[in-house]
Amino acid sequence: MIQRGSTLNSDQLRDMIQDAHLNFLLGAGASMPLFALLGDVENLLTDITAADADEDAIAFAQASAYAHFFAGVIAKNGDLLRRTASAKKLLATYERFIQTLNRLLLRRRSAILNKQVNIFTTNIDIAIEIAAEDLQAELNDGFTGRFSSRFSTSNFGSVVSRRSLQYDNLSEVPTFNLLKLHGSVSWATRRLDGTDVIAFDRRLRLVAKAAEALEEVDSDLPAVDDDTAAEDLLEEGEGHGLDLDKFLTAYRRLAIVNPTKDKFQQTVLNQNYYDLLRLFSNEMEKENTLLFVVGFSCRDEHIKELMVRAARVNPTLQIIIFAYDSRAAAQIAAEFKQQPVTNGNIQILEPPGPAEDGTTVAFDLATITGRFFDPLVPAQSRVAPEILRDGGATSA
């Protein structure tokens, strides 16, 4: 049974966080509005790939869909590097999110649980990495090495502690484990020491090459939206005469999980994808685990099935899904309709209805952080100097 509601008691939420393994699952909605939502592009690309059509028509249809995805999601990462106004707004949202979680971890009363939070995300953008670096937060993104950085799922789970130079005190540092389930625009597959590995592409060179190749053919490709049908693209692509090899080759070099049912272009990415899903599954099966889902439509079959299975076998697991609005809440509930959860440990939270003045609330990442998590750890106020001089005591 999936529960739906619009409220969550702050005291209950505080107790849940204090004593649970803390996890977040962030979807495309968490990075809105800078990054576009995928819409129905997954089904579109799946239909194109499975179509009984000639290779040229399929290449034309795929290039059109890829160009739509590239413009709305991949290319927008350049805004983050250039720090445009819209990018700064998104980075500020993620910084507030990270700062709030950092204070929550610092105030954990349990000495048994590590001061860590796992952030699983299907997003391929680099907003979290930039926000964490701006804050100098301890982010573990799975990479090790400075000159030849390489990714490995074995790098997750490390505990970071710091020792005071003066008093030799040892304290654990809050750590954010970032697990990018669908890869990243900053990933690049390379051959090192005879093995295919995922390296860190800090300058997004592969994205730049794909953008350059797309520019040559973009004006000749049709616009794609939620109403575009695979049959229409395939028909338009018959005998198109365009040279799409350069763009398709550059696009397929990107180390991202493509928005299709089969998803993969590269074996090394396939292997890491399932390793990351295994880590997600393992975390969900731990006792007293808490998963907050933000901006995720629950349409990804692999992840949804893992959530449902874990909810069934682990009654101590609590999954709280924040729906953007009531329509999104109904769509998410429909995704679980044929997969009943007997423990009742999946809850969908949707915004309350319109206020008396007609204003409405949407559960985006900024609103969720401010409404649910900020009140749990109010910022400390400065103690007035006269109170200190008088020997008084205050608490924040």
Side-chain angles (χ1 to χ4, degrees):
M1 177 180 178
I2 305 295
Q3 304 177 49
R4 283 181 63 178
S6 59
T7 59
L8 184 62
N9 183 281
S10 294
D11 291 334
Q12 181 185 15
L13 179 59
R14 183 183 291 106
D15 290 340
M16 293 167 64
I17 291 176
Q18 286 284 2
D19 300 317
H21 298 283
L22 190 56
N23 301 269
F24 282 81
L25 173 59
L26 304 183
S31 291
M32 287 176 54
L34 178 61
F35 295 93
L37 298 178
L38 288 181
D40 207 34
V41 69
E42 178 174 297
N43 289 327
L44 176 64
L45 280 167
T46 301
D47 292 342
I48 292 171
T49 304
D52 184 15
D54 63 69
E55 292 184 3
D56 285 344
I58 290 178
F60 178 88
Q62 285 181 332
S64 301
Y66 287 155
H68 169 69
F69 180 58
F70 189 92
V73 177
I74 299 174
K76 290 290 185 178
N77 284 275
D79 291 359
L80 292 171
L81 296 179
R82 292 188 297 270
R83 306 290 180 127
T84 63
S86 55
K88 288 180 180 179
K89 185 175 181 180
L90 178 62
L91 290 174
T93 296
Y94 274 116
E95 286 178 12
R96 183 181 178 188
F97 172 68
I98 292 171
Q99 286 175 321
T100 301
L101 293 183
N102 193 80
R103 297 202 306 271
L104 278 170
L105 293 173
L106 284 172
R107 296 192 179 195
R108 270 192 190 273
R109 58 175 175 245
S110 174
I112 300 175
L113 296 173
N114 292 326
K115 289 182 171 57
Q116 294 193 9
V117 57
N118 296 315
I119 302 177
F120 297 92
T121 179
T122 57
N123 298 337
I124 61 173
D125 62 72
I126 54 175
I128 294 179
E129 292 95 315
I130 294 177
E133 183 166 309
D134 287 347
L135 294 172
Q136 292 294 290
E138 193 67 44
L139 181 75
N140 180 4
D141 59 359
F143 282 91
T144 55
R146 187 177 298 272
F147 296 103
S148 297
S149 299
R150 65 181 69 185
F151 176 86
S152 174
T153 54
S154 64
N155 294 325
F156 292 110
S158 301
V159 176
V160 179
S161 298
R162 291 204 176 106
R163 190 180 297 277
S164 169
L165 295 177
Q166 185 172 1
Y167 298 106
D168 205 32
N169 296 327
L170 186 67
S171 59
E172 184 181 348
V173 178
T175 302
F176 299 85
N177 295 314
L178 179 62
L179 299 96
K180 308 189 81 167
L181 301 175
H182 286 179
S184 176
V185 295
S186 62
W187 291 10
T189 55
R190 292 177 185 168
R191 191 80 175 175
L192 293 177
D193 301 327
T195 305
D196 289 328
V197 300
I198 295 176
F200 189 70
D201 182 11
R202 69 181 68 250
R203 296 183 180 178
L204 307 187
R205 290 189 176 94
L206 294 183
V207 173
K209 289 181 180 179
E212 181 182 345
L214 175 59
E215 188 175 357
E216 298 177 8
V217 296
D218 192 33
S219 60
D220 297 314
L221 295 174
V224 172
D225 56 33
D226 288 345
D227 297 324
T228 302
E231 296 80 4
D232 296 336
L233 290 178
L234 291 167
E235 182 178 352
E236 188 174 350
E238 293 180 358
H240 57 78
L242 295 175
D243 184 5
L244 300 172
D245 288 344
K246 184 177 179 181
F247 169 60
L248 289 174
T249 299
Y251 179 89
R252 288 166 178 162
R253 287 192 62 199
L254 298 172
I256 60 175
V257 174
N258 280 298
T260 60
K261 298 294 184 184
D262 54 2
K263 295 188 183 295
F264 306 107
Q265 299 286 353
Q266 305 172 43
T267 302
V268 64
L269 199 60
N270 188 331
Q271 176 184 340
N272 280 281
Y273 173 73
Y274 284 109
D275 283 347
L276 288 168
L277 285 183
R278 176 180 51 80
L279 291 178
F280 177 74
S281 178
N282 290 345
E283 289 297 326
M284 294 305 100
E285 293 179 4
K286 288 182 178 179
E287 187 176 1
N288 293 330
T289 291
L290 184 57
L291 174 67
F292 293 105
V293 181
V294 180
F296 184 66
S297 65
C298 296
R299 295 172 64 181
D300 187 298
E301 295 177 1
H302 292 92
I303 297 175
K304 180 180 65 179
E305 289 174 1
L306 290 176
M307 290 168 59
V308 171
R309 187 184 69 182
R312 288 174 180 165
V313 302
N314 183 7
T316 67
L317 167 67
Q318 291 292 324
I319 299 178
I320 298 174
I321 303 173
F322 292 98
Y324 183 77
D325 52 25
S326 57
R327 180 185 176 188
Q331 292 173 341
I332 292 172
E335 292 292 333
F336 292 96
K337 189 173 182 180
Q338 303 302 323
Q339 300 185 2
V341 180
T342 55
N343 292 319
N345 48 355
I346 298 181
Q347 180 180 2
I348 300 174
L349 284 181
E350 58 187 291
E356 293 182 359
D357 60 359
T359 59
T360 58
V361 175
F363 279 172
D364 55 16
L365 182 60
T367 302
I368 292 167
T369 302
R371 178 169 289 212
F372 292 96
F373 297 107
D374 272 350
L376 304 182
V377 281
Q380 292 185 350
S381 58
R382 297 185 62 183
V383 179
E386 59 269 19
I387 296 178
L388 293 177
R389 285 195 299 267
D390 293 342
T394 66
S395 60

